[in-house]
């Protein structure tokens, strides 16, 4: 992706995921559903529907919060 904004968002998200993975216990039962959500996002983007992809991202974030809950501060 030769898009600076997309690359920045990707890098920031990687940082967030890294923090979560090191502060929360591993949830093996979440891996398959999360990967399906990721593939859904990619499939929707590839189909050329960015609005639906954003809804897929929102769904993924909601499911992640449901599984992991808010991060303790």
């Amino acid at each position: 992706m030769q898009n600076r904004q997309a690359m920045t968002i990707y890098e920031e998200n990687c940082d967030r995921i890294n923090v979560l993975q090191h502060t929360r216990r591993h949830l093996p039962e979440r891996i398959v559903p999360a990967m399906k959500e990721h593939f859904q996002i990619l499939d929707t983007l590839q189909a050329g529907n960015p609005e639906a992809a954003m809804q897929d991202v929102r769904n993924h974030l909601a499911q992640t919060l449901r599984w992991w809950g808010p991060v303790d501060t």
Side-chain angles (χ1 to χ4, degrees), residues 11-43:
E11 290 169 3
E12 290 172 356
N13 195 43
C14 285
D15 291 342
R16 288 184 189 103
I17 290 168
N18 190 32
V19 169
L20 284 173
Q21 288 177 337
H22 287 91
T23 59
R24 295 292 184 146
R25 67 181 177 87
H26 188 65
L27 297 172
E29 64 274 17
R30 176 66 180 128
I31 293 172
V32 171
M35 292 310 299
K36 287 180 179 179
E37 293 161 15
H38 292 179
F39 288 132
Q40 179 62 47
I41 294 164
L42 294 171
D43 288 345

Side-chain angles (χ1 to χ4, degrees), residues 41 44-45 49-58:
I41 294 164
T44 306
L45 282 171
N49 193 341
E51 294 83 12
M54 283 306 302
Q55 186 55 48
D56 292 340
V57 169
R58 288 183 191 98

